[in-house]
Amino acid sequence: MPDSTRSRTPDDTIGARDLTTWHTRFGRWLVGLFAGVARAFRPAARRVVSWSSAHLAFVVFAVVALVVMAALVEGVETVYEGVVGRDGLTVVDQPVLDAAITLRSPGLDAAVTAFTDVGGPVGMPILALVAVALITWRRRRWTPIVLTLIAAAGSLAMTIVGKGFVDRARPPASLAVPPLEVSASFPSGHTLNATVLTTVIVYLVLIETTAAWQRTLAITVGAVFVLAMGLSRVFLGHHWLTDVLAGWLIGLAWALAVITAHRLWLTLRERPAVADSPDGIPQEGAAS
């Protein structure tokens, strides 16, 4: 159980949930593992910069997660190659696009195009910057900026890697709503980046707010935005459905990795006994 006498910080709770308490055996194993890794790297790191175990664990976990995510992107490509037909499409891609085309109208096309631009390479960074700036101003901490920059960098890297690996063609120009895009189709960059940044921002909002209705609203708005962004790409004929599905899955996985890295940092920062114990488990009498 959490130690009720432990001082709280603005970072370490979502409602009544203590983010430094790991309720699963895997979570506790993860804390112990990276606490040990941080201890092993700390002597070498001190020769360059004085980093705590918490900072070292965060960096090591983020790097490992990024490598794993790059492998996941390549794995998704392998699965994709196994399910496409000779024409490079799955059994759902063309029917879903055909259904989307039947829903189009000049007014709806313009509205969806305006919305999808929000998740583009210009719109999404601006939206994320505004949200993170507000959160940073309220909290007077650099954590939101650091987490968002790491999340964005990994998201961009996986988008580039994924498009380079698969090099899938977009839907035919005759079936797409202008303006047309020329980069590779798989995965959907709009969807992947929107999923990553929105998930991290919602996480930061959940930490910031104390009202249950505000947390519910943040989760609902975030989920609707991410789903709508992905579907808008299919509606406009800029991506196949499987491009969007890959963007959702890869983006959510990377966002959760960044959030887990943050929780590790919080745990090792707030509970030094965890970082300093030989097995990563707090000594008797320490916070647990």
Side-chain angles (χ1 to χ4, degrees):
M1 296 293 293
D3 185 352
S4 59
T5 64
R6 181 173 66 84
S7 61
R8 316 286 288 199
T9 70
D11 283 346
D12 62 6
T13 59
I14 292 179
R17 180 180 176 84
D18 184 353
L19 294 176
T20 67
T21 299
W22 300 74
H23 297 285
T24 65
R25 180 177 298 178
F26 175 77
R28 292 190 290 271
W29 172 84
L30 195 65
V31 172
L33 172 65
F34 281 92
V37 170
R39 285 194 305 275
F41 277 89
R42 190 160 50 187
R46 280 178 174 169
R47 298 173 187 172
V48 180
V49 62
S50 179
W51 274 5
S52 66
S53 293
H55 288 84
L56 283 170
F58 179 91
V59 171
V60 172
F61 181 86
V63 171
V64 171
L66 187 58
V67 172
V68 171
M69 288 303 304
L72 174 61
V73 171
E74 188 172 1
V76 168
E77 179 220 358
T78 301
V79 173
Y80 162 74
E81 294 283 354
V83 299
V84 296
R86 292 182 179 180
D87 56 358
L89 301 180
T90 70
V91 295
V92 299
D93 282 327
Q94 190 64 58
V96 169
L97 178 58
D98 292 340
I101 292 173
T102 65
L103 301 175
R104 291 177 185 169
S105 67
L108 187 57
D109 292 356
V112 175
T113 297
F115 171 74
T116 203
D117 287 343
V118 174
V122 175
M124 196 65 211
I126 293 175
L127 183 63
L129 178 63
V130 171
V132 172
L134 288 173
I135 295 172
T136 301
W137 175 75
R138 283 179 57 88
R139 301 182 67 187
R140 301 295 194 272
R141 288 172 175 263
W142 291 104
T143 304
I145 293 177
V146 174
L147 288 182
T148 304
L149 287 176
I150 291 173
S155 177
L156 179 61
M158 283 179 287
T159 300
I160 294 173
V161 169
K163 288 181 181 294
F165 269 131
V166 180
D167 195 25
R168 185 188 196 186
R170 291 180 182 265
S174 60
L175 302 180
V177 176
L180 304 179
E181 300 180 24
V182 296
S183 64
S185 188
F186 187 97
S188 166
H190 280 64
T191 305
L192 197 158
N193 295 320
T195 300
V196 171
L197 292 175
T198 302
T199 302
V200 170
I201 290 171
V202 168
Y203 170 69
L204 294 170
V205 171
L206 295 182
I207 295 174
E208 171 66 23
T209 185
T210 57
W213 73 267
Q214 292 175 346
R215 294 194 295 272
T216 300
L217 179 63
I219 293 172
T220 302
V221 170
V224 170
F225 177 78
V226 169
L227 289 172
M229 185 57 62
L231 294 177
S232 73
R233 308 303 291 160
V234 178
F235 175 85
L236 295 172
H238 295 170
H239 284 284
W240 302 105
L241 177 63
T242 43
D243 303 333
V244 169
L245 291 175
W248 280 331
L249 293 175
I250 296 171
L252 183 60
W254 172 239
L256 293 178
V258 173
I259 290 170
T260 301
H262 179 239
R263 288 192 61 198
L264 282 171
W265 176 74
L266 286 174
T267 302
L268 299 182
R269 184 194 67 173
E270 298 294 327
R271 301 183 174 191
V274 176
D276 295 333
S277 63
D279 55 1
I281 303 299
Q283 302 300 313
E284 188 173 350
S288 59

